Short mmCIF file of all heavy atoms in Angstrom, two decimals:
data_model
loop_
_atom_site.label_atom_id
_atom_site.label_comp_id
_atom_site.label_asym_id
_atom_site.label_seq_id
_atom_site.Cartn_x
_atom_site.Cartn_y
_atom_site.Cartn_z
N LYS A 828 96.54 -32.72 -193.55
CA LYS A 828 96.74 -34.05 -193.02
C LYS A 828 95.70 -35.03 -193.54
O LYS A 828 95.78 -36.21 -193.25
CB LYS A 828 96.68 -34.00 -191.50
CG LYS A 828 97.84 -33.28 -190.86
CD LYS A 828 97.78 -33.40 -189.35
CE LYS A 828 98.96 -32.74 -188.71
NZ LYS A 828 99.01 -32.94 -187.29
N VAL A 829 94.75 -34.55 -194.28
CA VAL A 829 93.65 -35.39 -194.74
C VAL A 829 94.15 -36.62 -195.50
O VAL A 829 93.72 -37.74 -195.24
CB VAL A 829 92.69 -34.58 -195.66
CG1 VAL A 829 91.64 -35.47 -196.28
CG2 VAL A 829 92.05 -33.46 -194.88
N LEU A 830 95.07 -36.42 -196.44
CA LEU A 830 95.55 -37.51 -197.28
C LEU A 830 96.78 -38.22 -196.72
O LEU A 830 97.17 -39.27 -197.21
CB LEU A 830 95.89 -36.99 -198.68
CG LEU A 830 94.73 -36.42 -199.49
CD1 LEU A 830 95.25 -35.79 -200.78
CD2 LEU A 830 93.72 -37.49 -199.80
N GLY A 831 97.40 -37.64 -195.72
CA GLY A 831 98.65 -38.18 -195.19
C GLY A 831 98.48 -39.55 -194.56
O GLY A 831 97.42 -39.89 -194.04
N PRO A 832 99.54 -40.34 -194.60
CA PRO A 832 99.49 -41.68 -194.01
C PRO A 832 99.22 -41.65 -192.51
O PRO A 832 99.75 -40.79 -191.80
CB PRO A 832 100.89 -42.24 -194.29
CG PRO A 832 101.47 -41.40 -195.36
CD PRO A 832 100.85 -40.07 -195.21
N LYS A 833 98.40 -42.56 -192.04
CA LYS A 833 98.09 -42.64 -190.61
C LYS A 833 99.34 -42.91 -189.79
O LYS A 833 99.42 -42.50 -188.63
CB LYS A 833 97.03 -43.70 -190.36
CG LYS A 833 95.67 -43.31 -190.85
CD LYS A 833 94.62 -44.34 -190.47
CE LYS A 833 93.25 -43.87 -190.93
NZ LYS A 833 92.18 -44.73 -190.48
N ALA A 834 100.33 -43.57 -190.39
CA ALA A 834 101.56 -43.90 -189.67
C ALA A 834 102.28 -42.66 -189.15
O ALA A 834 103.01 -42.72 -188.17
CB ALA A 834 102.50 -44.69 -190.58
N TYR A 835 102.05 -41.51 -189.82
CA TYR A 835 102.71 -40.26 -189.41
C TYR A 835 101.74 -39.29 -188.74
O TYR A 835 102.08 -38.15 -188.48
CB TYR A 835 103.36 -39.58 -190.61
CG TYR A 835 104.35 -40.46 -191.33
CD1 TYR A 835 104.19 -40.74 -192.68
CD2 TYR A 835 105.41 -41.05 -190.66
CE1 TYR A 835 105.09 -41.56 -193.35
CE2 TYR A 835 106.30 -41.87 -191.32
CZ TYR A 835 106.14 -42.12 -192.66
OH TYR A 835 107.02 -42.93 -193.32
N GLY A 836 100.50 -39.72 -188.53
CA GLY A 836 99.52 -38.86 -187.89
C GLY A 836 98.54 -38.23 -188.86
O GLY A 836 97.77 -37.35 -188.50
N GLY A 837 98.57 -38.66 -190.11
CA GLY A 837 97.64 -38.15 -191.11
C GLY A 837 96.29 -38.84 -191.04
O GLY A 837 96.10 -39.79 -190.27
N GLY A 838 95.37 -38.38 -191.87
CA GLY A 838 94.03 -38.95 -191.87
C GLY A 838 93.91 -40.23 -192.67
O GLY A 838 92.97 -41.00 -192.46
N GLY A 839 94.84 -40.45 -193.61
CA GLY A 839 94.79 -41.67 -194.42
C GLY A 839 93.59 -41.75 -195.33
O GLY A 839 93.21 -42.84 -195.77
N GLU A 840 92.99 -40.62 -195.64
CA GLU A 840 91.79 -40.61 -196.47
C GLU A 840 92.13 -40.66 -197.96
O GLU A 840 93.25 -40.40 -198.37
CB GLU A 840 90.96 -39.35 -196.19
CG GLU A 840 90.40 -39.28 -194.79
CD GLU A 840 89.35 -40.35 -194.51
OE1 GLU A 840 88.68 -40.80 -195.45
OE2 GLU A 840 89.20 -40.71 -193.34
N ALA A 841 91.12 -40.96 -198.76
CA ALA A 841 91.26 -41.01 -200.21
C ALA A 841 90.93 -39.64 -200.81
O ALA A 841 90.39 -38.76 -200.12
CB ALA A 841 90.32 -42.07 -200.78
N TRP A 842 91.24 -39.49 -202.10
CA TRP A 842 91.02 -38.21 -202.76
C TRP A 842 89.56 -37.79 -202.77
O TRP A 842 89.26 -36.59 -202.73
CB TRP A 842 91.58 -38.24 -204.18
CG TRP A 842 93.00 -37.79 -204.22
CD1 TRP A 842 94.11 -38.59 -204.30
CD2 TRP A 842 93.48 -36.46 -204.14
NE1 TRP A 842 95.25 -37.81 -204.28
CE2 TRP A 842 94.89 -36.50 -204.19
CE3 TRP A 842 92.86 -35.22 -204.04
CZ2 TRP A 842 95.68 -35.37 -204.14
CZ3 TRP A 842 93.65 -34.08 -203.98
CH2 TRP A 842 95.04 -34.15 -204.04
N ASP A 843 88.62 -38.72 -202.82
CA ASP A 843 87.21 -38.31 -202.84
C ASP A 843 86.84 -37.56 -201.56
O ASP A 843 86.07 -36.59 -201.59
CB ASP A 843 86.27 -39.48 -203.11
CG ASP A 843 86.33 -40.58 -202.07
OD1 ASP A 843 87.40 -40.79 -201.46
OD2 ASP A 843 85.30 -41.25 -201.87
N THR A 844 87.42 -37.95 -200.44
CA THR A 844 87.21 -37.22 -199.18
C THR A 844 87.90 -35.87 -199.24
O THR A 844 87.32 -34.86 -198.80
CB THR A 844 87.74 -38.03 -197.99
OG1 THR A 844 87.06 -39.29 -197.94
CG2 THR A 844 87.54 -37.30 -196.68
N ALA A 845 89.10 -35.83 -199.79
CA ALA A 845 89.83 -34.57 -199.90
C ALA A 845 89.04 -33.57 -200.74
O ALA A 845 88.96 -32.38 -200.39
CB ALA A 845 91.20 -34.80 -200.50
N TYR A 846 88.44 -34.02 -201.85
CA TYR A 846 87.64 -33.13 -202.68
C TYR A 846 86.47 -32.56 -201.90
O TYR A 846 86.13 -31.37 -202.01
CB TYR A 846 87.10 -33.87 -203.91
CG TYR A 846 88.14 -34.27 -204.92
CD1 TYR A 846 88.08 -35.50 -205.54
CD2 TYR A 846 89.19 -33.43 -205.26
CE1 TYR A 846 89.02 -35.89 -206.46
CE2 TYR A 846 90.14 -33.81 -206.18
CZ TYR A 846 90.05 -35.04 -206.79
OH TYR A 846 90.99 -35.41 -207.70
N LYS A 847 85.82 -33.38 -201.08
CA LYS A 847 84.70 -32.90 -200.28
C LYS A 847 85.16 -31.85 -199.27
O LYS A 847 84.47 -30.85 -199.05
CB LYS A 847 84.03 -34.08 -199.55
CG LYS A 847 83.30 -35.02 -200.48
CD LYS A 847 82.78 -36.23 -199.74
CE LYS A 847 82.18 -37.24 -200.71
NZ LYS A 847 81.77 -38.48 -200.05
N VAL A 848 86.31 -32.07 -198.66
CA VAL A 848 86.86 -31.11 -197.70
C VAL A 848 87.17 -29.79 -198.41
O VAL A 848 86.82 -28.71 -197.91
CB VAL A 848 88.12 -31.67 -197.00
CG1 VAL A 848 88.80 -30.60 -196.16
CG2 VAL A 848 87.76 -32.88 -196.14
N ILE A 849 87.82 -29.87 -199.56
CA ILE A 849 88.15 -28.65 -200.32
C ILE A 849 86.89 -27.87 -200.67
O ILE A 849 86.82 -26.65 -200.48
CB ILE A 849 88.93 -29.01 -201.60
CG1 ILE A 849 90.30 -29.58 -201.26
CG2 ILE A 849 89.07 -27.79 -202.51
CD1 ILE A 849 90.99 -30.26 -202.44
N ARG A 850 85.89 -28.56 -201.16
CA ARG A 850 84.63 -27.88 -201.55
C ARG A 850 83.93 -27.25 -200.35
O ARG A 850 83.38 -26.16 -200.45
CB ARG A 850 83.71 -28.85 -202.28
CG ARG A 850 84.25 -29.22 -203.66
CD ARG A 850 83.32 -30.18 -204.37
NE ARG A 850 82.00 -29.63 -204.59
CZ ARG A 850 81.62 -28.96 -205.68
NH1 ARG A 850 82.49 -28.75 -206.63
NH2 ARG A 850 80.39 -28.51 -205.79
N GLU A 851 83.97 -27.92 -199.23
CA GLU A 851 83.34 -27.38 -198.02
C GLU A 851 84.06 -26.12 -197.55
O GLU A 851 83.43 -25.12 -197.20
CB GLU A 851 83.31 -28.44 -196.92
CG GLU A 851 82.30 -28.22 -195.84
CD GLU A 851 80.87 -28.16 -196.32
OE1 GLU A 851 80.48 -28.88 -197.26
OE2 GLU A 851 80.11 -27.38 -195.71
N VAL A 852 85.39 -26.16 -197.54
CA VAL A 852 86.17 -24.98 -197.15
C VAL A 852 85.93 -23.85 -198.14
O VAL A 852 85.77 -22.69 -197.76
CB VAL A 852 87.68 -25.33 -197.06
CG1 VAL A 852 88.53 -24.09 -196.92
CG2 VAL A 852 87.93 -26.30 -195.90
N ALA A 853 85.89 -24.18 -199.43
CA ALA A 853 85.70 -23.16 -200.47
C ALA A 853 84.34 -22.48 -200.39
O ALA A 853 84.20 -21.34 -200.82
CB ALA A 853 85.90 -23.78 -201.85
N LYS A 854 83.35 -23.14 -199.81
CA LYS A 854 82.04 -22.51 -199.62
C LYS A 854 82.17 -21.28 -198.74
O LYS A 854 81.49 -20.28 -198.94
CB LYS A 854 81.05 -23.48 -198.99
CG LYS A 854 80.53 -24.53 -199.92
CD LYS A 854 79.55 -25.43 -199.16
CE LYS A 854 79.12 -26.62 -199.97
NZ LYS A 854 78.22 -27.51 -199.19
N ALA A 855 83.04 -21.37 -197.74
CA ALA A 855 83.23 -20.24 -196.82
C ALA A 855 84.21 -19.22 -197.38
O ALA A 855 84.03 -18.03 -197.21
CB ALA A 855 83.72 -20.76 -195.46
N ASP A 856 85.26 -19.70 -198.05
CA ASP A 856 86.28 -18.80 -198.61
C ASP A 856 86.96 -19.50 -199.78
O ASP A 856 87.74 -20.43 -199.58
CB ASP A 856 87.31 -18.42 -197.55
CG ASP A 856 88.26 -17.33 -198.01
OD1 ASP A 856 88.73 -17.40 -199.17
OD2 ASP A 856 88.54 -16.41 -197.23
N GLY A 857 86.65 -19.06 -200.98
CA GLY A 857 87.18 -19.69 -202.18
C GLY A 857 88.69 -19.68 -202.25
O GLY A 857 89.31 -20.64 -202.72
N SER A 858 89.31 -18.59 -201.79
CA SER A 858 90.77 -18.49 -201.83
C SER A 858 91.42 -19.53 -200.93
O SER A 858 92.42 -20.15 -201.32
CB SER A 858 91.23 -17.09 -201.40
OG SER A 858 90.74 -16.13 -202.30
N ILE A 859 90.88 -19.72 -199.75
CA ILE A 859 91.44 -20.71 -198.83
C ILE A 859 91.19 -22.11 -199.37
O ILE A 859 92.05 -22.99 -199.27
CB ILE A 859 90.84 -20.55 -197.41
CG1 ILE A 859 91.14 -19.15 -196.85
CG2 ILE A 859 91.36 -21.63 -196.48
CD1 ILE A 859 92.62 -18.83 -196.72
N GLY A 860 90.03 -22.34 -199.98
CA GLY A 860 89.76 -23.63 -200.60
C GLY A 860 90.76 -23.93 -201.71
O GLY A 860 91.25 -25.05 -201.83
N MET A 861 91.09 -22.90 -202.50
CA MET A 861 92.08 -23.07 -203.57
C MET A 861 93.45 -23.41 -202.99
O MET A 861 94.13 -24.32 -203.47
CB MET A 861 92.18 -21.81 -204.42
CG MET A 861 93.14 -21.94 -205.58
SD MET A 861 93.29 -20.42 -206.53
CE MET A 861 94.30 -19.45 -205.44
N LEU A 862 93.86 -22.69 -201.96
CA LEU A 862 95.15 -22.97 -201.33
C LEU A 862 95.19 -24.37 -200.73
O LEU A 862 96.21 -25.06 -200.83
CB LEU A 862 95.47 -21.93 -200.27
CG LEU A 862 95.82 -20.54 -200.81
CD1 LEU A 862 95.96 -19.55 -199.66
CD2 LEU A 862 97.08 -20.59 -201.64
N LEU A 863 94.10 -24.79 -200.12
CA LEU A 863 94.03 -26.15 -199.58
C LEU A 863 94.18 -27.18 -200.70
O LEU A 863 94.90 -28.16 -200.57
CB LEU A 863 92.73 -26.37 -198.82
CG LEU A 863 92.50 -27.78 -198.29
CD1 LEU A 863 93.60 -28.20 -197.34
CD2 LEU A 863 91.13 -27.88 -197.63
N GLY A 864 93.50 -26.92 -201.82
CA GLY A 864 93.62 -27.82 -202.96
C GLY A 864 95.05 -27.92 -203.47
O GLY A 864 95.56 -29.01 -203.73
N TYR A 865 95.71 -26.76 -203.60
CA TYR A 865 97.11 -26.76 -204.01
C TYR A 865 97.97 -27.51 -203.00
O TYR A 865 98.87 -28.27 -203.36
CB TYR A 865 97.65 -25.33 -204.17
CG TYR A 865 97.29 -24.67 -205.46
CD1 TYR A 865 96.67 -23.42 -205.47
CD2 TYR A 865 97.58 -25.26 -206.69
CE1 TYR A 865 96.35 -22.79 -206.65
CE2 TYR A 865 97.26 -24.64 -207.88
CZ TYR A 865 96.65 -23.40 -207.86
OH TYR A 865 96.33 -22.78 -209.03
N HIS A 866 97.73 -27.27 -201.73
CA HIS A 866 98.51 -27.95 -200.69
C HIS A 866 98.38 -29.47 -200.81
O HIS A 866 99.37 -30.19 -200.80
CB HIS A 866 98.05 -27.51 -199.29
CG HIS A 866 98.53 -28.41 -198.20
ND1 HIS A 866 99.84 -28.48 -197.81
CD2 HIS A 866 97.86 -29.30 -197.44
CE1 HIS A 866 99.97 -29.38 -196.85
NE2 HIS A 866 98.78 -29.90 -196.61
N LEU A 867 97.15 -29.94 -200.95
CA LEU A 867 96.94 -31.39 -201.04
C LEU A 867 97.58 -31.96 -202.30
O LEU A 867 98.17 -33.04 -202.27
CB LEU A 867 95.45 -31.72 -200.98
CG LEU A 867 94.79 -31.44 -199.63
CD1 LEU A 867 93.28 -31.65 -199.72
CD2 LEU A 867 95.39 -32.27 -198.52
N LEU A 868 97.49 -31.21 -203.40
CA LEU A 868 98.10 -31.67 -204.64
C LEU A 868 99.61 -31.75 -204.51
O LEU A 868 100.22 -32.79 -204.78
CB LEU A 868 97.72 -30.73 -205.78
CG LEU A 868 98.42 -31.01 -207.11
CD1 LEU A 868 97.98 -32.35 -207.66
CD2 LEU A 868 98.14 -29.88 -208.08
N TRP A 869 100.24 -30.65 -204.09
CA TRP A 869 101.70 -30.62 -204.01
C TRP A 869 102.25 -31.52 -202.91
O TRP A 869 103.34 -32.06 -203.04
CB TRP A 869 102.20 -29.19 -203.83
CG TRP A 869 102.08 -28.41 -205.09
CD1 TRP A 869 101.22 -27.38 -205.34
CD2 TRP A 869 102.80 -28.63 -206.31
NE1 TRP A 869 101.38 -26.94 -206.63
CE2 TRP A 869 102.34 -27.68 -207.25
CE3 TRP A 869 103.79 -29.52 -206.70
CZ2 TRP A 869 102.84 -27.62 -208.54
CZ3 TRP A 869 104.29 -29.46 -207.99
CH2 TRP A 869 103.82 -28.51 -208.88
N SER A 870 101.51 -31.69 -201.84
CA SER A 870 102.03 -32.54 -200.75
C SER A 870 101.97 -34.02 -201.09
O SER A 870 102.59 -34.83 -200.42
CB SER A 870 101.27 -32.27 -199.45
OG SER A 870 99.92 -32.66 -199.56
N THR A 871 101.24 -34.37 -202.14
CA THR A 871 101.20 -35.77 -202.56
C THR A 871 102.00 -36.03 -203.84
O THR A 871 102.04 -37.16 -204.31
CB THR A 871 99.75 -36.25 -202.76
OG1 THR A 871 99.12 -35.42 -203.73
CG2 THR A 871 98.98 -36.23 -201.46
N THR A 872 102.65 -35.01 -204.38
CA THR A 872 103.41 -35.16 -205.61
C THR A 872 104.52 -36.19 -205.47
O THR A 872 104.76 -36.99 -206.40
CB THR A 872 103.99 -33.81 -206.06
OG1 THR A 872 102.91 -32.89 -206.27
CG2 THR A 872 104.80 -33.93 -207.33
N ALA A 873 105.20 -36.21 -204.34
CA ALA A 873 106.28 -37.19 -204.13
C ALA A 873 105.76 -38.62 -204.21
O ALA A 873 106.49 -39.53 -204.58
CB ALA A 873 106.97 -36.95 -202.79
N ASN A 874 104.49 -38.82 -203.88
CA ASN A 874 103.89 -40.16 -203.97
C ASN A 874 103.80 -40.62 -205.43
O ASN A 874 103.84 -41.82 -205.70
CB ASN A 874 102.48 -40.18 -203.38
CG ASN A 874 102.45 -39.82 -201.92
OD1 ASN A 874 103.48 -39.69 -201.29
ND2 ASN A 874 101.27 -39.64 -201.40
N VAL A 875 103.69 -39.67 -206.34
CA VAL A 875 103.50 -40.00 -207.75
C VAL A 875 104.82 -40.06 -208.50
O VAL A 875 105.04 -40.98 -209.28
CB VAL A 875 102.56 -38.96 -208.42
CG1 VAL A 875 102.39 -39.24 -209.90
CG2 VAL A 875 101.22 -38.92 -207.72
N VAL A 876 105.70 -39.09 -208.27
CA VAL A 876 106.93 -39.00 -209.07
C VAL A 876 108.20 -39.36 -208.30
O VAL A 876 109.26 -39.47 -208.89
CB VAL A 876 107.10 -37.60 -209.69
CG1 VAL A 876 105.95 -37.30 -210.63
CG2 VAL A 876 107.21 -36.53 -208.62
N GLY A 877 108.10 -39.53 -207.00
CA GLY A 877 109.28 -39.83 -206.20
C GLY A 877 109.44 -41.31 -205.91
O GLY A 877 108.56 -42.12 -206.21
N THR A 878 110.55 -41.62 -205.31
CA THR A 878 110.77 -43.00 -204.86
C THR A 878 109.96 -43.23 -203.59
O THR A 878 109.44 -42.27 -202.98
CB THR A 878 112.25 -43.24 -204.55
OG1 THR A 878 112.63 -42.43 -203.42
CG2 THR A 878 113.14 -42.93 -205.74
N GLU A 879 109.89 -44.45 -203.15
CA GLU A 879 109.16 -44.75 -201.91
C GLU A 879 109.80 -44.03 -200.72
O GLU A 879 109.09 -43.48 -199.87
CB GLU A 879 109.13 -46.25 -201.67
CG GLU A 879 108.28 -46.64 -200.47
CD GLU A 879 108.16 -48.14 -200.29
OE1 GLU A 879 108.47 -48.91 -201.22
OE2 GLU A 879 107.75 -48.55 -199.19
N ASP A 880 111.13 -44.00 -200.67
CA ASP A 880 111.82 -43.29 -199.58
C ASP A 880 111.55 -41.79 -199.62
O ASP A 880 111.33 -41.17 -198.58
CB ASP A 880 113.33 -43.54 -199.65
CG ASP A 880 113.71 -44.96 -199.24
OD1 ASP A 880 112.89 -45.63 -198.57
OD2 ASP A 880 114.82 -45.39 -199.59
N GLN A 881 111.55 -41.20 -200.81
CA GLN A 881 111.26 -39.77 -200.93
C GLN A 881 109.83 -39.48 -200.48
O GLN A 881 109.58 -38.50 -199.77
CB GLN A 881 111.46 -39.31 -202.37
CG GLN A 881 112.91 -39.26 -202.80
CD GLN A 881 113.07 -39.04 -204.29
OE1 GLN A 881 112.24 -39.49 -205.09
NE2 GLN A 881 114.15 -38.36 -204.65
N SER A 882 108.91 -40.30 -200.90
CA SER A 882 107.50 -40.13 -200.53
C SER A 882 107.34 -40.18 -199.01
O SER A 882 106.70 -39.31 -198.41
CB SER A 882 106.65 -41.21 -201.18
OG SER A 882 105.32 -41.11 -200.75
N LYS A 883 107.92 -41.17 -198.39
CA LYS A 883 107.82 -41.32 -196.93
C LYS A 883 108.44 -40.12 -196.22
O LYS A 883 107.89 -39.61 -195.25
CB LYS A 883 108.48 -42.61 -196.47
CG LYS A 883 107.71 -43.85 -196.83
CD LYS A 883 108.44 -45.10 -196.37
CE LYS A 883 107.67 -46.35 -196.72
NZ LYS A 883 108.38 -47.57 -196.29
N SER A 884 109.59 -39.67 -196.71
CA SER A 884 110.29 -38.55 -196.09
C SER A 884 109.45 -37.27 -196.16
O SER A 884 109.30 -36.55 -195.17
CB SER A 884 111.64 -38.33 -196.78
OG SER A 884 112.28 -37.19 -196.28
N VAL A 885 108.90 -36.99 -197.34
CA VAL A 885 108.09 -35.78 -197.52
C VAL A 885 106.84 -35.85 -196.65
O VAL A 885 106.50 -34.89 -195.96
CB VAL A 885 107.72 -35.60 -199.01
CG1 VAL A 885 106.64 -34.54 -199.17
CG2 VAL A 885 108.95 -35.23 -199.82
N GLN A 886 106.14 -36.97 -196.68
CA GLN A 886 104.92 -37.11 -195.89
C GLN A 886 105.19 -36.96 -194.40
O GLN A 886 104.45 -36.28 -193.69
CB GLN A 886 104.23 -38.45 -196.18
CG GLN A 886 103.67 -38.56 -197.57
CD GLN A 886 102.58 -37.54 -197.82
OE1 GLN A 886 101.72 -37.29 -196.99
NE2 GLN A 886 102.62 -36.93 -198.99
N ARG A 887 106.25 -37.59 -193.93
CA ARG A 887 106.58 -37.53 -192.51
C ARG A 887 106.84 -36.08 -192.08
O ARG A 887 106.29 -35.61 -191.09
CB ARG A 887 107.81 -38.39 -192.20
CG ARG A 887 108.16 -38.42 -190.72
CD ARG A 887 109.41 -39.25 -190.45
NE ARG A 887 110.55 -38.89 -191.28
CZ ARG A 887 111.32 -37.81 -191.09
NH1 ARG A 887 111.06 -36.98 -190.10
NH2 ARG A 887 112.34 -37.57 -191.88
N VAL A 888 107.65 -35.35 -192.83
CA VAL A 888 107.99 -33.97 -192.48
C VAL A 888 106.76 -33.08 -192.53
O VAL A 888 106.50 -32.30 -191.60
CB VAL A 888 109.10 -33.42 -193.41
CG1 VAL A 888 109.26 -31.92 -193.24
CG2 VAL A 888 110.41 -34.14 -193.14
N LEU A 889 105.97 -33.18 -193.60
CA LEU A 889 104.78 -32.33 -193.72
C LEU A 889 103.79 -32.55 -192.58
O LEU A 889 103.25 -31.60 -192.02
CB LEU A 889 104.07 -32.59 -195.05
CG LEU A 889 104.73 -32.05 -196.31
CD1 LEU A 889 104.01 -32.55 -197.55
CD2 LEU A 889 104.77 -30.54 -196.29
N ILE A 890 103.57 -33.80 -192.23
CA ILE A 890 102.57 -34.11 -191.20
C ILE A 890 103.09 -33.84 -189.80
O ILE A 890 102.42 -33.18 -189.00
CB ILE A 890 102.08 -35.56 -191.35
CG1 ILE A 890 101.33 -35.71 -192.67
CG2 ILE A 890 101.20 -35.97 -190.18
CD1 ILE A 890 101.04 -37.13 -193.05
N GLU A 891 104.27 -34.33 -189.50
CA GLU A 891 104.78 -34.18 -188.13
C GLU A 891 105.07 -32.73 -187.78
O GLU A 891 104.96 -32.33 -186.63
CB GLU A 891 106.03 -35.04 -187.95
CG GLU A 891 105.71 -36.54 -187.91
CD GLU A 891 106.94 -37.41 -187.77
OE1 GLU A 891 108.08 -36.88 -187.79
OE2 GLU A 891 106.77 -38.64 -187.63
N GLN A 892 105.45 -31.92 -188.78
CA GLN A 892 105.78 -30.52 -188.50
C GLN A 892 104.64 -29.57 -188.87
O GLN A 892 104.80 -28.35 -188.82
CB GLN A 892 107.05 -30.12 -189.24
CG GLN A 892 108.26 -30.89 -188.75
CD GLN A 892 109.54 -30.46 -189.43
OE1 GLN A 892 109.63 -29.38 -190.00
NE2 GLN A 892 110.54 -31.31 -189.38
N ASN A 893 103.48 -30.13 -189.24
CA ASN A 893 102.31 -29.33 -189.59
C ASN A 893 102.62 -28.26 -190.63
O ASN A 893 102.20 -27.11 -190.52
CB ASN A 893 101.69 -28.67 -188.35
CG ASN A 893 101.05 -29.67 -187.44
OD1 ASN A 893 100.31 -30.54 -187.91
ND2 ASN A 893 101.33 -29.59 -186.16
N LEU A 894 103.35 -28.66 -191.67
CA LEU A 894 103.72 -27.72 -192.72
C LEU A 894 102.64 -27.65 -193.78
O LEU A 894 101.93 -28.62 -194.04
CB LEU A 894 105.04 -28.14 -193.36
CG LEU A 894 106.24 -28.17 -192.44
CD1 LEU A 894 107.47 -28.65 -193.19
CD2 LEU A 894 106.51 -26.79 -191.85
N VAL A 895 102.54 -26.50 -194.40
CA VAL A 895 101.62 -26.30 -195.52
C VAL A 895 102.47 -26.08 -196.75
O VAL A 895 103.34 -25.22 -196.77
CB VAL A 895 100.69 -25.09 -195.29
CG1 VAL A 895 99.85 -24.83 -196.53
CG2 VAL A 895 99.82 -25.32 -194.08
N ARG A 896 102.21 -26.86 -197.76
CA ARG A 896 102.95 -26.73 -199.01
C ARG A 896 101.97 -26.31 -200.08
O ARG A 896 100.99 -26.98 -200.35
CB ARG A 896 103.58 -28.06 -199.37
CG ARG A 896 104.43 -27.98 -200.60
CD ARG A 896 105.18 -29.26 -200.79
NE ARG A 896 106.09 -29.08 -201.91
CZ ARG A 896 106.67 -30.06 -202.54
NH1 ARG A 896 106.46 -31.29 -202.16
NH2 ARG A 896 107.46 -29.82 -203.55
N SER A 897 102.24 -25.16 -200.69
CA SER A 897 101.34 -24.66 -201.71
C SER A 897 102.12 -23.86 -202.72
O SER A 897 103.20 -23.36 -202.44
CB SER A 897 100.25 -23.79 -201.07
OG SER A 897 99.28 -23.46 -202.03
N SER A 898 101.58 -23.75 -203.89
CA SER A 898 102.23 -22.98 -204.95
C SER A 898 101.15 -22.32 -205.79
O SER A 898 100.23 -22.97 -206.26
CB SER A 898 103.08 -23.90 -205.81
OG SER A 898 103.64 -23.17 -206.88
N VAL A 899 101.30 -21.05 -205.95
CA VAL A 899 100.38 -20.30 -206.80
C VAL A 899 101.24 -19.45 -207.72
O VAL A 899 102.10 -18.70 -207.26
CB VAL A 899 99.44 -19.39 -205.97
CG1 VAL A 899 98.54 -18.59 -206.88
CG2 VAL A 899 98.64 -20.22 -204.99
N GLN A 900 101.02 -19.57 -208.99
CA GLN A 900 101.79 -18.78 -209.95
C GLN A 900 100.98 -17.54 -210.30
O GLN A 900 99.84 -17.64 -210.76
CB GLN A 900 102.08 -19.58 -211.22
CG GLN A 900 102.90 -18.81 -212.22
CD GLN A 900 103.23 -19.66 -213.43
OE1 GLN A 900 102.85 -20.79 -213.52
NE2 GLN A 900 103.94 -19.07 -214.36
N VAL A 901 101.57 -16.40 -210.10
CA VAL A 901 100.91 -15.15 -210.44
C VAL A 901 101.51 -14.66 -211.75
O VAL A 901 102.73 -14.53 -211.88
CB VAL A 901 101.11 -14.09 -209.33
CG1 VAL A 901 100.48 -12.77 -209.74
CG2 VAL A 901 100.55 -14.61 -208.01
N MET A 902 100.67 -14.41 -212.70
CA MET A 902 101.12 -13.94 -214.02
C MET A 902 100.89 -12.42 -214.09
O MET A 902 99.82 -11.94 -213.79
CB MET A 902 100.35 -14.63 -215.13
CG MET A 902 100.44 -16.15 -215.11
SD MET A 902 102.08 -16.77 -215.49
CE MET A 902 102.12 -16.45 -217.24
N ASP A 903 101.92 -11.70 -214.48
CA ASP A 903 101.79 -10.27 -214.70
C ASP A 903 101.52 -10.03 -216.19
O ASP A 903 102.33 -10.41 -217.04
CB ASP A 903 103.05 -9.52 -214.29
CG ASP A 903 103.24 -9.51 -212.78
OD1 ASP A 903 102.23 -9.57 -212.06
OD2 ASP A 903 104.39 -9.44 -212.34
N TYR A 904 100.42 -9.40 -216.48
CA TYR A 904 100.10 -9.09 -217.86
C TYR A 904 100.12 -7.58 -218.04
O TYR A 904 99.64 -6.84 -217.18
CB TYR A 904 98.70 -9.62 -218.22
CG TYR A 904 98.62 -11.12 -218.22
CD1 TYR A 904 98.11 -11.80 -217.13
CD2 TYR A 904 99.08 -11.84 -219.32
CE1 TYR A 904 98.06 -13.19 -217.14
CE2 TYR A 904 99.00 -13.22 -219.33
CZ TYR A 904 98.50 -13.89 -218.24
OH TYR A 904 98.44 -15.26 -218.24
N PRO A 905 100.67 -7.11 -219.15
CA PRO A 905 100.66 -5.66 -219.38
C PRO A 905 99.22 -5.16 -219.51
O PRO A 905 98.36 -5.85 -220.07
CB PRO A 905 101.44 -5.49 -220.68
CG PRO A 905 101.64 -6.85 -221.25
CD PRO A 905 101.30 -7.86 -220.20
N VAL A 906 98.99 -4.00 -219.00
CA VAL A 906 97.63 -3.43 -219.04
C VAL A 906 97.48 -2.58 -220.28
O VAL A 906 98.30 -1.90 -220.73
CB VAL A 906 97.35 -2.58 -217.79
CG1 VAL A 906 95.97 -1.97 -217.85
CG2 VAL A 906 97.52 -3.43 -216.56
#
């Protein structure tokens, strides 16, 4: 909720604050910090590549329903 619009219950913060939050979480657990970073990145993607309506829709659902959006690609390499 750090970056989410205040209109939907988010923090309305800027990315510099989000980076500080990610780094602080990562101090305790790097994996959780990484997932938080992915969540913040993917949850704001609609703001960059979507229409205004798409952005508002995604932000509203993520914040109001307390959803976590994250993506991690695992690569299998032959041993």
